[in-house]
Amino acid sequence: MSRFLVKKVAVLGAGVMGAQIAAHLVNVKVPVVLFDLPGKDSPNGIVTKAIEGLKKLKPAPLGVASDAELIQAANYEQHLDLLKDCDLIIEAIAERMDWKRDLYQKIAPHIGAHTIVASNTSGLSITQLSEALPEALRPRFCGIHFFNPPRYMTLVELIATPATQPHILDDLETFVTSGLGKNVVRAKDTPNFIANRIGIAGMLATMKEVENFGLTPDVVDDLTGKKLGRASSGTFRTADVVGLDTMAHVIKTLQDTLSAQTDPFYSSFATPLVLKTLLDKGHLGQKTKAGFFKKVGRDIQRFDLSEGDYVPAGAKADEVYGRMLKKPAAERLKLLRNSEGAQGQFLWAILRNSFHYAAIHLASIADTARDVDFAMRFGFGMKQGPFELWQDAGWLEVAKMVQEDIDAGKALCAAPLPDWVFKGPVADAGGVHTSQGSWNPSTQQFEGKRELPVYARQHFPQDVLGAHAPQAMKSGTTLFENSALRVWTLDGEVLIASIKTKMHAISPDVTEGLMQAVDLAEKNYQGLVIWSPDEMFSAGADLQSMLPAFMVGGVGMIEGVEAELQNLMLRLRYASVPTVAAVQGLALGGGCEMAVYCAKRVAAMESYIGLVEVGVGLVPGAGGLTYIARRAAENAAASTGKDILPFLTEGFTAAAMAKVGTSALESRKLGYLLESDVVVPHKDELLFVAINEVRSMSASGYRPPHPRQFAVAGRSGLATIKGQLVNMRDGGFISAHDFHIASLIANVVTGGDINDGTLVNEAYLMTLERKAFCALLTHPKTQARIMAMMNTGKPLRN
């Protein structure tokens, strides 16, 4: 892999994007200096205010809010000398060519000899920006376009100038991929690059078709969200989130830098009247709490152009189109094209426009069709990019339908589809994506993905439809498999267990399979990794599978199931080979318990870990409360104090309030991840890192911990906690049933009615856990909570 090492980064500009880029750098432990103009009242006032603002933003840009203090504040007048120690400088000031160029001239004398300089612009010419830099710096300058919000949006576009040295982009792609956890697409230096060029043109085309078909924003968002395989926010809500002023700026870039001669769709780039009206009123979207939509109390209103004001929203699309959108791609598009209703014709029109626009501009904005599809998937939340959907529906059939509409004057412009669409390698292959690579119209070849050493860390990277990339669940060597679990190996040295149930729920078959996997790992392998390829570790124990057992055998049967789960957790903890949980996405309830009982955890940054059983009226029953008690005792033993209760409080509160860590970093604060656990920025590197952790632990002579007795807080600790719970109940903060559940949790984590400091073992506390779990399972209010969750997916408060 490249030896380029980023020890410190400077971010220039403490606006919305600059501050959030700095926050994400802190998330991945990269030291960062955030610059802006000197403030009127204090030299770093602007930056300090921006850093404080990060703590309040939603969604949270910081994994842990208190980490805001790790961002170093600086200003352009006093601290430019700090730039020489930075390996990367990201300029993220306002989208003004003149402002950016002026800043470059100011900072140029202070830039280190090997520093990479990159502009975070959403569409300005990178080559023109580079002209403000000394010639010696231009080979180390490029564009780096983060999408908002930068912590959560995975797309980063890298844009070279003619002078940019190739290894600079390779080094930056390596850092952005592995260090920041992003998916990199290289774009050509054209207006708005790839994602915004296609995406904003698509939003403008959608608004034009909205006018043509007389639809309202709420109906359009219902049609163009998840039902269409796009971001759940749809079209107009997405615009509100992005910011209508930001959207207007990107539109203006298209208007200013393109023409009817350079873009046949240019006539569609006029600012929509409704957008102009909202901008004139100062309604900029989410940031001003009013845009296309506005929340009034609990009600959502939409802007009505004819009324010039907000009216009640909430209208939904006709159900018939929802059913059409569930059909296979080929059938879906034909049904939409032939539909007589306005909503169906609208959907076909926006899809046709997206195919048409992407095909016309592919050669000018991107190297390959893969770059376009990846940009739209990672930057705009689409399940399939435009070329993928087109190919999925039948390449030539769709092409003929689109061209017929162009010839009939129904399309946005009269430009025909390019020749390569109908004849040659693409037509012969049935699309732009093949196992040999994706279509590059400039070279007239199918080209594979860029091969950088960093991508060797991704065993099963994301790829496009038609690429026939290796699938995790069909790769490697299977040792055994049932309907719930696959146990396999990639290298013959480390065993992998992948759960296959819905939401990776832990059913009895999963429990039995994991027991077998541990046995097999101990006999023939260096260790065991628990990992599944989709973005979910485990949503917990499979309550649905327990209900038949409960109906037939009563609580006794359930207690046996819980005992088996607890035995699994102890088996993972005390296995003679290392067990590693590779966590991404949700690790809730039993999933959390499974993770904490492994010898080590490797977690993707976006991991959401917690004991959430209270939400269905239960307590953690597979060892979660025992883990909390043991960790409290261990932490107390390592301190100078002898009182266990202070070390127990946070764990008890997390379980009693069903707190979930909203990042791997916050999960560490809650105690579900340890300081020794590894946080991986890029989720596609998770399996690589987990396997190497097993190898490292094995090579280091791994031995499991000895089962030990540990002290508990006892009846005095229980009395203290229950006293606080009484106050919460009597104050109306929790219900009587919440009080009952929390009291049972307190009874387990303190060891119950025994003296404080009494030494107990895990089996003792697990017995208390099982009894509490089973007692609640027979409680009518808990049963009501379980049924509500199963029927509605939402917790019931009773």
Side-chain angles (χ1 to χ4, degrees):
M1 238 169 87
S2 169
R3 297 297 299 166
F4 176 63
L5 179 63
V6 177
K7 298 185 288 293
K8 183 180 282 190
V9 175
V11 176
L12 312 182
V16 173
M17 281 301 290
Q20 291 194 70
I21 291 170
H24 188 61
L25 287 161
V26 165
N27 289 338
V28 296
K29 294 189 174 181
V30 176
V32 59
V33 187
L34 181 60
F35 281 83
D36 212 302
L37 295 166
K40 292 181 180 179
D41 299 323
S42 65
N44 293 333
I46 293 174
V47 176
T48 302
K49 184 178 179 181
I51 292 172
E52 283 300 308
L54 290 170
K55 301 176 184 178
K56 304 169 187 174
L57 282 180
K58 299 292 181 184
L62 289 157
V64 177
S66 60
D67 281 352
E69 66 189 31
L70 300 177
I71 300 173
Q72 182 180 352
N75 67 78
Y76 302 129
E77 296 300 324
Q78 297 176 306
H79 305 121
L80 289 181
D81 60 309
L82 295 175
L83 295 177
K84 69 179 185 298
D85 297 323
C86 294
D87 304 288
L88 172 63
I89 297 171
I90 300 173
E91 170 270 305
I93 69 170
E95 292 283 277
R96 285 272 301 267
M97 179 73 73
D98 53 341
W99 290 1
K100 289 176 184 285
R101 288 168 62 113
D102 286 347
L103 181 59
Y104 295 171
Q105 291 174 358
K106 186 170 186 173
I107 66 171
H110 304 275
I111 295 173
H114 304 288
T115 304
I116 295 176
V117 182
S119 174
N120 179 64
T121 172
S122 59
L124 296 179
S125 169
I126 303 302
T127 302
Q128 290 181 38
L129 286 171
S130 72
E131 292 167 359
L133 289 166
E135 282 194 27
L137 272 172
R138 293 178 192 176
R140 291 181 276 127
F141 178 76
C142 65
I144 182 168
H145 180 208
F146 289 84
F147 277 67
N148 189 26
R151 171 184 161 187
Y152 301 95
M153 298 300 292
T154 62
L155 177 64
V156 168
E157 292 175 317
L158 294 183
I159 310 96
T161 74
T164 307
Q165 291 182 349
H167 80 86
I168 293 295
L169 245 61
D170 289 349
D171 285 346
L172 198 52
E173 182 166 346
T174 296
F175 168 67
V176 170
T177 299
S178 194
L180 302 186
K182 301 301 175 187
N183 295 312
V184 171
V185 168
R186 294 195 189 182
K188 293 185 179 180
D189 191 10
T190 54
N192 293 342
F193 314 128
I194 299 176
N196 274 345
R197 179 70 175 272
I198 299 284
I200 296 301
M203 292 178 81
L204 285 170
T206 298
M207 291 181 187
K208 196 174 185 68
E209 300 293 359
V210 166
E211 294 176 10
N212 292 341
F213 291 100
L215 304 179
T216 58
D218 44 4
V219 170
V220 170
D221 277 3
D222 190 37
L223 286 168
T224 60
K226 284 188 175 180
K227 290 177 181 175
L228 196 61
R230 298 184 177 181
S232 58
S233 50
T235 299
F236 292 99
R237 178 62 184 147
T238 295
D240 279 350
V241 171
V242 169
L244 303 191
D245 53 340
T246 302
M247 184 179 176
H249 175 82
V250 177
I251 292 171
K252 190 172 188 305
T253 301
L254 292 176
Q255 294 167 345
D256 292 348
T257 55
L258 297 171
S259 66
Q261 287 70 43
T262 57
D263 193 319
F265 294 83
Y266 186 75
S267 61
S268 301
F269 296 159
T271 304
L273 179 58
V274 63
L275 178 59
K276 186 177 184 305
T277 303
L278 287 167
L279 291 169
D280 290 343
K281 289 177 175 287
H283 298 333
L284 307 182
Q286 184 171 275
K287 67 182 76 174
T288 59
K289 300 184 179 179
F292 286 105
F293 296 99
K294 179 173 75 169
K295 191 172 183 180
V296 180
R298 294 187 176 182
D299 299 324
I300 302 296
Q301 298 184 343
R302 63 174 175 83
F303 186 76
D304 186 291
L305 184 61
S306 61
E307 296 283 339
D309 204 351
Y310 289 89
V311 300
K316 298 291 183 183
D318 292 342
E319 290 183 9
V320 65
Y321 300 108
R323 291 194 293 272
M324 283 185 188
L325 292 173
K326 291 180 180 178
K327 301 285 186 181
E331 185 180 353
R332 183 193 325 157
L333 294 193
K334 288 176 183 175
L335 285 170
L336 292 174
R337 188 180 188 230
N338 296 327
S339 66
E340 296 181 358
Q343 294 178 22
Q345 284 293 301
F346 162 77
L347 283 170
W348 162 249
I350 64 172
L351 291 172
R352 175 201 65 215
N353 295 340
S354 71
F355 302 149
H356 190 190
Y357 193 87
I360 291 287
H361 290 294
L362 173 58
S364 64
I365 66 175
D367 289 333
T368 70
R370 181 195 309 105
D371 295 327
V372 170
D373 283 342
F374 272 174
M376 299 315 295
R377 276 166 48 180
F378 302 142
F380 278 78
M382 294 184 176
K383 285 186 178 178
Q384 290 181 309
F387 289 118
E388 286 181 290
L389 175 57
W390 183 347
Q391 183 166 330
D392 194 18
W395 184 263
L396 286 176
E397 291 82 359
V398 173
K400 289 172 184 175
M401 291 193 292
V402 172
Q403 189 60 52
E404 285 173 6
D405 277 15
I406 296 169
D407 295 340
K410 295 179 180 179
L412 291 177
C413 78
L417 290 172
D419 287 343
W420 57 260
V421 170
F422 292 103
K423 57 188 178 182
V426 171
D428 294 341
V432 291
H433 303 305
T434 70
S435 55
Q436 289 75 45
S438 293
W439 182 246
N440 183 334
S442 299
T443 62
Q444 296 285 294
Q445 292 179 342
F446 294 107
E447 296 181 359
K449 291 197 292 187
R450 187 175 295 103
E451 292 184 4
L452 292 177
V454 68
Y455 293 120
R457 296 170 60 88
Q458 299 180 8
H459 287 305
F460 301 102
Q462 299 176 68
D463 215 325
V464 286
L465 176 88
H468 305 295
Q471 297 179 39
M473 296 304 276
K474 295 181 180 179
S475 298
T477 302
T478 301
L479 280 306
F480 69 86
E481 185 171 11
N482 59 30
S483 61
L485 188 79
R486 180 188 182 218
V487 178
W488 55 292
T489 182
L490 269 176
D491 57 8
E493 296 178 347
V494 176
L495 208 57
I496 305 166
S498 299
I499 302 174
K500 298 161 49 180
T501 54
K502 184 179 179 180
M503 298 187 75
H504 300 169
I506 305 171
S507 65
D509 284 344
V510 171
T511 302
E512 182 181 349
L514 286 172
M515 284 285 206
Q516 288 181 252
V518 176
D519 289 343
L520 188 58
E522 287 183 325
K523 290 177 183 176
N524 300 319
Y525 295 88
Q526 292 182 17
L528 172 68
V529 171
I530 301 175
W531 172 84
S532 297
D534 49 354
E535 296 183 36
M536 172 85 66
F537 183 70
S538 172
D542 188 354
L543 286 176
Q544 209 153 12
S545 70
M546 289 186 183
L547 289 181
F550 179 61
M551 298 299 292
V552 173
V555 171
M557 185 73 75
I558 298 301
E559 188 165 2
V561 173
E562 284 298 296
E564 284 302 310
L565 267 175
Q566 291 176 341
N567 288 338
L568 170 64
M569 303 309 167
L570 294 175
R571 189 79 180 88
L572 291 170
R573 175 168 165 75
Y574 295 111
S576 61
V577 294
T579 57
V580 173
V583 180
Q584 61 177 324
L586 300 179
L588 305 178
C592 172
E593 289 167 316
M594 187 162 59
V596 300
Y597 273 89
C598 283
K600 194 163 193 174
R601 287 136 297 280
V602 173
M605 177 66 71
E606 298 307 322
S607 296
Y608 306 93
I609 307 174
L611 297 170
V612 296
E613 286 84 352
V614 169
V616 289
L618 293 169
V619 300
L625 300 182
T626 300
Y627 167 80
I628 288 170
R630 176 174 57 77
R631 286 295 300 159
E634 289 169 351
N635 290 334
S639 75
T640 55
K642 294 183 179 180
D643 188 3
I644 297 170
L645 192 59
F647 298 94
L648 186 62
T649 302
E650 187 170 39
F652 163 78
T653 303
M657 297 183 67
K659 281 188 179 180
V660 175
T662 56
S663 68
L665 304 180
E666 190 176 12
S667 297
R668 182 176 273 157
K669 290 282 186 184
L670 294 176
Y672 299 132
L673 294 177
L674 306 181
E675 288 299 325
S676 57
D677 292 332
V678 180
V679 176
V680 180
H682 201 300
K683 65 180 182 60
D684 289 347
E685 295 185 2
L686 198 62
L687 181 59
F688 172 88
V689 175
I691 288 173
N692 278 283
E693 284 296 319
V694 167
R695 288 175 177 160
S696 175
M697 294 166 75
S698 177
S700 301
Y702 174 80
R703 295 289 182 190
H706 287 290
R708 292 179 183 274
Q709 290 188 319
F710 49 89
V712 290
R715 67 174 68 88
S716 63
L718 175 61
T720 301
I721 294 174
K722 287 190 73 171
Q724 295 169 346
L725 292 174
V726 167
N727 291 336
M728 293 179 70
R729 181 197 61 194
D730 294 349
F733 296 103
I734 58 175
S735 70
H737 195 49
D738 290 330
F739 172 81
H740 177 56
I741 297 167
S743 297
L744 290 175
I745 292 174
N747 188 67
V748 176
V749 297
T750 59
D753 189 18
I754 56 179
N755 293 330
D756 61 305
T758 298
L759 296 178
V760 301
N761 58 23
E762 287 165 311
Y764 169 79
L765 292 181
M766 284 183 169
T767 300
L768 296 182
E769 266 190 73
R770 287 199 308 275
K771 291 184 180 300
F773 183 93
C774 292
L776 283 168
L777 202 55
T778 64
H779 199 293
K781 289 193 174 182
T782 284
Q783 292 173 358
R785 289 191 183 188
I786 293 172
M787 294 310 298
M789 182 62 76
M790 287 183 170
N791 292 331
T792 69
K794 296 178 181 179
L796 171 69
R797 297 260 60 92
N798 58 0

